[in-house]
């Protein structure tokens, strides 16, 4: 029988020496880090030299769950993976939903720490009370879905598998780990796994422990709140449940906020051909849910005719549709679905892949690269056949795909002809689907995020709804700091991002305290998030010089639409950074002060 959360252990795997051992979780970790992202960052911070190459055996890959994982609490199905990112060279935390985390919760482990490098391809098989390293020579080179099926056949039991595809094996710097059809998407965790000759982690647990009475009551309350949200016509979670995460794309387009043709424009003329309505009428088959979640935001889709007939994907999500759609000037939903399927099969982040493709398209249209460089591809905006082919070339590191597999920042540096101005990335990570010119909170979020141009800890809802003026700079530094700390705290529970705008903060505390028997206050909980944020910042070594946007955001006004003429004012942006650093208790260069680190018990 699986132990309760506070009694679970850390499973440590040294692939170089083929050694596996267990470690008791230090008791003070629960109060200071809770679990999930907190445990992952703590281990990375303490045990990995920040200067080590991300592909070195000395880098560690950490999978972790939280105290609500595997319970019937809805929107806590995700698993966290932490490592040093080969894309940003900073601390990475990345998440996948589905059923992998729930299965890990049925073992005696809350955390798996993998280090070293195996001599030959292998996978890790984790059971309720033990693990073994298994030869994976026959699996190397397989795409993710066949590899998962082969492992399940080999083990002969009900297992959940997180694995890499050829992109991870080829060390594509934004390759992903795929669990089922869900992705640990951003930052290149798949290539870290590939550098370790680790094809997969397979987990098979025991029975699920029943919830105690207090936890059962808190879960009941959570389900009632979620049920009410899903019954409301315009609640964001309800819209995602009915239409998927792409529900708001036409509205964004109407407001001039939809990144188009590598962030050159904010309005896409083909939006109706890639909208949730179009996907729903022409590709949608059924909803797909994560463990214990009634939202079922996943949309299993099939292309029924045309050149991409037979394509199957659990999506695409809004961010994917932006990356391969409007941002590449492509209005073929079927081609976007195909690109999404390829990314899942090869194991690649759809955002970084799509934005890197759009970067290459602009390079082609500007004459920086030509048909000889692209292997004959006419890499113009709107050419969906070229886009789909280039996705495969990147995964296989074929031709120009080898350069682009390094990410847009490194590719622009290698080309060295001024293309860094329109390489849409921060700290090496490509833009998510939001425009800093149109939302100044996004400008602050993208610039200061520890992951790079990441939207997971942003005030998007406030700015999109009008609760906060999207074009205002004042106050956005403080708001950004507050949402970053709050979401970091939620990610120690490995809560879905959707829960943040569905559940009141006190519900997280009820669930957490009931599950652990602890007594977290709101202040305690938020401070955990702030502590982790500062640890990430220190590990990554980021300062003010890194907290900047691509030059295009400051110098290239949105050319048309409702926000025509809008850009990021450099002077006001710098003042917003000052406000952010002051709210954080950092110095003017964006470095955590000794006083702040002592207050957070990072220094003692």
């Amino acid at each position: 029988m699986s132990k309760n959360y506070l009694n679970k252990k850390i499973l440590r795997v040294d692939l170089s020496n083929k050694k596996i051992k267990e470690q008791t979780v230090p008791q003070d970790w629960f109060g200071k880090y809770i679990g999930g992202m907190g445990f992952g960052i703590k281990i990375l911070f303490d045990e990995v030299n920040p200067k080590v190459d991300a592909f070195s055996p000395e880098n560690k890959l950490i999978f972790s769950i939280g105290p609500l994982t595997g319970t019937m609490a809805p929107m806590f199905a995700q698993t966290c993976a932490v490592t040093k990112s080969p894309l940003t060279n900073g601390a990475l935390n990345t998440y996948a939903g589905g059923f992998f985390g729930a299965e890990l919760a049925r073992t005696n482990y809350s955390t798996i720490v993998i280090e070293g490098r195996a001599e030959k391809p292998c996978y890790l098989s984790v059971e309720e009370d033990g693990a073994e390293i298994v030869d994976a020579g026959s699996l190397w080179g397989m795409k993710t879905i066949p590899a998962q099926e082969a492992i399940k056949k080999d083990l002969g039991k009900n297992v959940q598998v997180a694995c890499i595809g050829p992109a991870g094996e080829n060390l594509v710097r934004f390759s992903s780990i795929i669990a089922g059809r869900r992705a640990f998407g951003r930052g290149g965790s798949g290539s870290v796994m590939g550098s370790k000759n680790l094809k997969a982690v397979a987990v098979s647990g025991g029975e699920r422990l029943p919830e105690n009475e207090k936890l059962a009551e808190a879960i009941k309350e959570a389900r009632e709140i979620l049920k009410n949200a899903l019954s409301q016509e315009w609640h964001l979670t309800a819209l995602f449940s009915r239409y998927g995460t792409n529900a708001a794309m036409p509205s964004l387009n109407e407001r001039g906020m939809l990144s188009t043709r590598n962030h050159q424009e904010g309005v896409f003329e083909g939006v109706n051909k890639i909208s949730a309505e179009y996907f729903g009428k022409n590709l949608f088959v059924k909803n797909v849910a994560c463990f214990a979640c009634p939202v079922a935001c996943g949309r299993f889709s099939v292309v029924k005719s045309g050149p991409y007939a037979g394509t199957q994907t659990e999506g695409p999500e809004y961010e994917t549709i932006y990356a391969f759609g409007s941002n590449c000037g492509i209005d073929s939903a079927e081609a976007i679905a195909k690109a999404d399927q390829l990314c899942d099969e090869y194991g690649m982040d759809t955002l970084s892949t799509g934005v890197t493709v759009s970067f290459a398209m602009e390079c082609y249209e500007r004459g920086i690269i030509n048909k000889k460089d692209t292997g004959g591809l006419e890499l113009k905006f709107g050419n969906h056949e070229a886009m789909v082919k280039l996705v495969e070339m990147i995964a296989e590191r074929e031709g120009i795909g080898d350069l682009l597999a390094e990410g847009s920042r490194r590719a622009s540096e290698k080309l060295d002809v001024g293309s860094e101005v329109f390489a849409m990335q921060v700290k090496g990570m490509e833009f998510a689907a939001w425009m800093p010119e149109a939302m100044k909170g996004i400008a602050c979020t993208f610039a200061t995020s520890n992951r790079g141009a990441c939207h997971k800890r942003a005030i998007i809802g406030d700015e999109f709804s009008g609760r906060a003026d999207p074009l205002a700079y004042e106050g956005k530094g403080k708001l950004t700091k507050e949402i970053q700390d709050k979401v970091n705290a939620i990610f120690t529970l490995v809560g879905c991002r959707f829960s943040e705008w569905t559940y009141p903060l006190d519900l997280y505390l009820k669930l957490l305290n009931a599950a652990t028997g602890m007594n977290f206050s709101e202040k305690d909980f938020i401070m955990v998030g702030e502590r982790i944020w500062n640890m990430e910042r220190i590990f990554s070594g980021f300062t003010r010089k890194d907290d900047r946007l691509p030059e295009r955001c400051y110098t290239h006004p949105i050319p048309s639409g409702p926000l025509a003429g809008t850009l990021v004012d450099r002077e006001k942006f710098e003042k917003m950074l000052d406000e952010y650093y002051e709210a954080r208790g950092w110095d003017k260069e964006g470095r955590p002060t000794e006083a702040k680190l002592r207050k957070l018990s990072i220094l003692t």
Side-chain angles (χ1 to χ4, degrees):
M1 180 68 73
S2 303
K3 295 180 173 68
N4 67 54
Y5 181 73
L6 296 183
N7 291 326
K8 287 183 181 292
K9 296 180 178 181
I10 298 170
L11 181 70
R12 290 188 171 270
V13 181
D14 182 342
L15 294 174
S16 295
N17 297 306
K18 300 180 182 179
K19 291 184 178 180
I20 298 174
K21 63 181 181 180
E22 297 177 354
Q23 174 193 346
T24 301
V25 178
Q27 285 302 300
D28 67 328
W29 282 23
F30 296 108
K32 294 176 71 174
Y33 309 105
I34 298 175
M37 176 193 183
F39 281 12
I41 293 298
K42 172 62 174 172
I43 293 167
L44 188 76
F45 185 86
D46 285 354
E47 301 180 13
V48 175
N49 184 336
K51 295 182 179 180
V52 75
D53 189 279
F55 294 147
S56 165
E58 296 174 46
N59 192 13
K60 298 187 180 184
L61 176 63
I62 304 135
F63 293 93
S64 52
I65 57 174
L68 299 173
T69 314
T71 72
M72 296 306 292
M75 296 201 283
F76 292 96
Q78 296 194 346
T79 309
C80 177
V82 167
T83 191
K84 178 175 179 177
S85 168
L87 194 63
T88 70
N89 287 324
L92 172 68
N93 58 98
T94 183
Y95 304 84
F99 294 83
F100 185 83
E103 197 64 32
L104 182 56
R106 297 184 183 192
T107 72
N108 288 340
Y109 311 108
S110 65
T111 309
I112 303 172
V113 182
I114 302 167
E115 61 183 286
R117 176 184 294 141
E119 290 183 5
K120 57 184 180 180
C122 66
Y123 72 85
L124 179 67
S125 175
V126 181
E127 296 188 343
E128 182 178 4
D129 195 19
E132 66 174 325
I133 299 168
V134 182
D135 181 84
S138 63
L139 303 176
W140 206 252
M142 277 192 184
K143 294 179 180 177
T144 60
I145 303 303
Q148 291 181 66
E149 291 172 351
I151 290 171
K152 290 180 179 182
K153 183 178 179 181
D154 285 348
L155 295 179
K157 59 186 76 171
N158 183 29
V159 298
Q160 294 295 323
V161 181
C163 75
I164 60 171
E169 298 169 5
N170 293 331
L171 305 187
V172 173
R173 286 187 183 269
F174 43 83
S175 56
S176 303
I177 301 168
I178 305 295
R181 290 182 181 268
R182 300 297 176 109
F184 295 90
R186 308 228 66 190
S189 60
S191 57
V192 173
M193 207 157 148
S195 74
K196 296 184 178 301
N197 275 330
L198 181 65
K199 180 68 175 179
V201 177
V203 178
S204 176
E207 296 180 8
R208 184 177 66 86
L209 283 178
E211 289 88 17
N212 63 55
E213 186 176 343
K214 283 187 177 181
L215 181 55
E217 289 175 2
I219 290 173
K220 182 179 179 181
E221 182 178 348
R223 289 193 166 272
E224 286 299 318
I225 290 171
L226 182 53
K227 181 180 178 181
N228 180 59
L230 292 174
S231 71
Q232 298 176 33
E233 184 176 3
W234 297 108
H235 194 287
L236 192 56
T237 304
L239 290 172
F240 287 174
S241 181
R242 288 195 292 270
Y243 306 113
T245 57
N246 195 34
M249 181 172 272
S251 180
L252 282 164
N253 197 59
E254 288 173 10
R255 300 183 191 197
M257 296 177 171
L258 182 59
S259 180
T260 298
R261 285 178 275 276
N262 198 38
H263 214 86
Q264 295 183 81
E265 304 161 63
V267 177
F268 182 48
E269 68 281 358
V271 68
N272 290 333
K273 295 181 180 180
I274 60 173
S275 66
E277 182 178 5
Y278 183 93
F279 273 94
K281 286 182 178 179
N282 296 283
L283 282 79
F284 174 71
V285 175
K286 63 180 180 179
N287 286 89
V288 181
C290 294
F291 176 81
C293 185
V295 177
C297 66
R299 312 270 291 174
F300 185 73
S301 300
V302 175
V303 177
K304 302 174 181 67
S305 61
Y308 305 112
T311 294
Q312 297 183 4
T313 178
E314 193 173 301
E317 303 286 348
Y318 165 65
E319 302 281 340
T320 303
I321 296 171
Y322 134 80
F324 291 121
S326 64
N327 210 48
C328 287
I330 287 170
D331 62 4
S332 168
E334 293 78 11
I336 295 167
K338 181 63 177 180
D340 187 42
Q341 175 186 286
L342 288 172
C343 283
D344 287 349
E345 291 178 343
Y346 279 106
M348 289 196 298
D349 173 28
T350 56
L351 277 109
S352 282
T353 305
V355 174
T356 301
V357 169
S358 70
F359 164 77
M361 286 177 163
E362 184 164 351
C363 285
Y364 185 88
E365 292 205 345
R366 288 177 177 269
I368 295 171
I369 58 175
N370 55 40
K371 267 192 176 183
K372 182 179 179 182
D373 299 314
T374 65
L377 291 181
E378 190 171 8
L379 204 56
K380 291 184 177 181
F381 288 115
N383 187 339
H384 60 83
E385 293 96 341
M387 179 271 287
V388 169
K389 177 60 179 176
L390 190 55
V391 170
E392 295 181 280
M393 292 172 69
I394 291 171
E396 298 286 2
R397 283 189 174 268
E398 174 191 339
I400 198 170
D402 187 40
L403 172 65
L404 298 177
E406 294 293 296
S408 59
R409 179 174 68 176
R410 288 175 174 83
S412 68
E413 291 170 350
K414 184 74 177 291
L415 292 170
D416 193 27
V417 285
S419 60
E420 69 277 359
V421 171
F422 57 86
M424 304 311 294
Q425 54 80 30
V426 174
K427 301 181 175 86
M429 182 178 281
E430 285 72 21
F431 269 32
W434 307 91
M435 300 187 73
E437 302 92 332
M439 294 177 168
K440 308 313 180 191
I442 284 292
C444 189
T445 298
F446 277 11
T448 62
S449 171
N450 287 322
R451 294 210 314 175
C454 166
H455 67 293
K456 275 188 172 290
R457 300 159 179 85
I459 56 171
I460 294 170
D462 288 337
E463 292 191 310
F464 184 64
S465 67
R467 289 192 298 270
D469 179 359
L471 297 180
Y473 293 83
E474 189 174 354
K476 296 295 177 64
K478 183 175 182 293
L479 281 173
T480 298
K481 183 265 186 193
E482 290 172 353
I483 194 69
Q484 287 170 342
D485 292 348
K486 180 183 178 182
V487 175
N488 255 21
I490 293 169
F491 285 168
T492 68
L493 308 176
V494 207
C496 174
R497 182 66 175 86
F498 300 169
S499 71
E500 190 266 324
W501 57 71
T502 305
Y503 295 153
L505 186 58
D506 72 316
L507 180 61
Y508 291 104
L509 301 178
K510 288 180 184 178
L511 290 163
L512 170 59
N513 290 333
T516 62
M518 301 181 77
N519 189 31
F520 277 90
S521 66
E522 179 177 323
K523 181 180 178 181
D524 297 332
F525 186 57
I526 298 300
M527 185 174 282
V528 170
E530 184 180 11
R531 179 178 296 117
I532 297 165
W533 189 270
N534 279 263
M535 292 170 71
E536 291 178 88
R537 181 79 170 188
I538 295 166
F539 178 90
S540 302
F542 296 142
T543 63
R544 190 178 195 116
K545 66 179 176 58
D546 303 294
D547 295 341
R548 58 188 176 88
L549 301 168
E551 193 65 15
R552 166 165 286 170
C553 296
Y554 305 110
T555 59
H556 182 88
I558 296 175
S560 60
L563 295 175
T566 305
L567 46 63
V568 176
D569 183 286
R570 200 184 303 270
E571 183 178 348
K572 291 179 180 179
F573 173 80
E574 294 298 331
K575 288 181 179 178
M576 185 167 59
L577 274 188
D578 288 338
E579 178 191 307
Y580 174 81
Y581 296 152
E582 183 178 355
R584 283 229 165 268
W586 295 353
D587 67 19
K588 288 287 187 179
E589 293 305 310
R591 294 175 297 223
T593 62
E594 181 177 338
K596 171 56 68 173
L597 298 181
R598 291 193 184 282
K599 183 177 180 180
L600 294 172
S601 301
I602 297 171
L603 288 179
T604 55

